[in-house]
Amino acid sequence: QVQLVESGGGLVQAGGSLRLSCAVSGRTFSVYSMSWFRQAPGKEREFVAAKSWSVGTIYYADSVKGRFTISTDSAKSTVYLQMNSLKPEDTAVYYCAGQRAYSGSWLDTSRYDYWGQGTQVTVSS
């Protein structure tokens, strides 16, 4: 089995930065790719960014392109989400998620095999 644990959330002013981390443990060799999702109150969970471990393919949602950067550290089995120029609309619980194999979709939450517990990000105006 695979366990995902997020950290790094918090309260930040608009225009500020945060870096989220997602530690991957267990059968890490079974994870093909890692993604970040977010869910704001009253809204559905939405895709933010994805990166495959070995191939290096990266994909971003249009809403965060140019502001957020996803990266991985294989030695530490950790995925990061660097968030710059934060806006109040970025406020949400952020989740990391993993796929055992590429399923044909980065956006569909049902295609993910592993999920973390989430970390709260609040951006004040």
Side-chain angles (χ1 to χ4, degrees):
Q1 194 53 277
V2 172
Q3 295 80 41
L4 308 179
V5 179
E6 302 99 333
S7 61
L11 173 65
V12 64
Q13 288 189 332
S17 299
L18 279 176
R19 188 177 80 157
L20 305 182
S21 300
C22 174
V24 185
S25 61
R27 298 169 63 88
T28 58
F29 58 86
S30 69
V31 179
Y32 168 77
S33 66
M34 293 295 298
S35 296
W36 287 95
F37 284 77
R38 66 186 182 186
Q39 188 166 18
K43 295 187 177 181
E44 292 191 354
R45 194 167 298 188
E46 66 171 356
F47 171 82
V48 174
K51 184 176 187 292
S52 61
W53 280 109
S54 57
V55 177
T57 304
I58 292 178
Y59 184 63
Y60 293 102
D62 288 343
S63 58
V64 306
K65 206 172 291 183
R67 299 188 299 123
F68 291 11
T69 301
I70 186 171
S71 62
T72 55
D73 185 331
S74 297
K76 296 182 179 180
S77 296
T78 301
V79 183
Y80 302 99
L81 185 68
Q82 178 67 45
M83 306 185 294
N84 299 327
S85 302
L86 283 161
K87 305 174 182 180
E89 51 263 44
D90 294 319
T91 295
V93 176
Y94 283 71
Y95 300 88
C96 62
Q99 292 184 345
R100 285 194 293 263
Y102 182 58
S103 65
S105 173
W106 297 117
L107 278 63
D108 187 349
T109 58
S110 69
R111 304 292 184 94
Y112 285 80
D113 304 291
Y114 314 110
W115 288 91
Q117 83 289 350
T119 185
Q120 176 70 47
V121 172
T122 303
V123 184
S124 63
S125 57

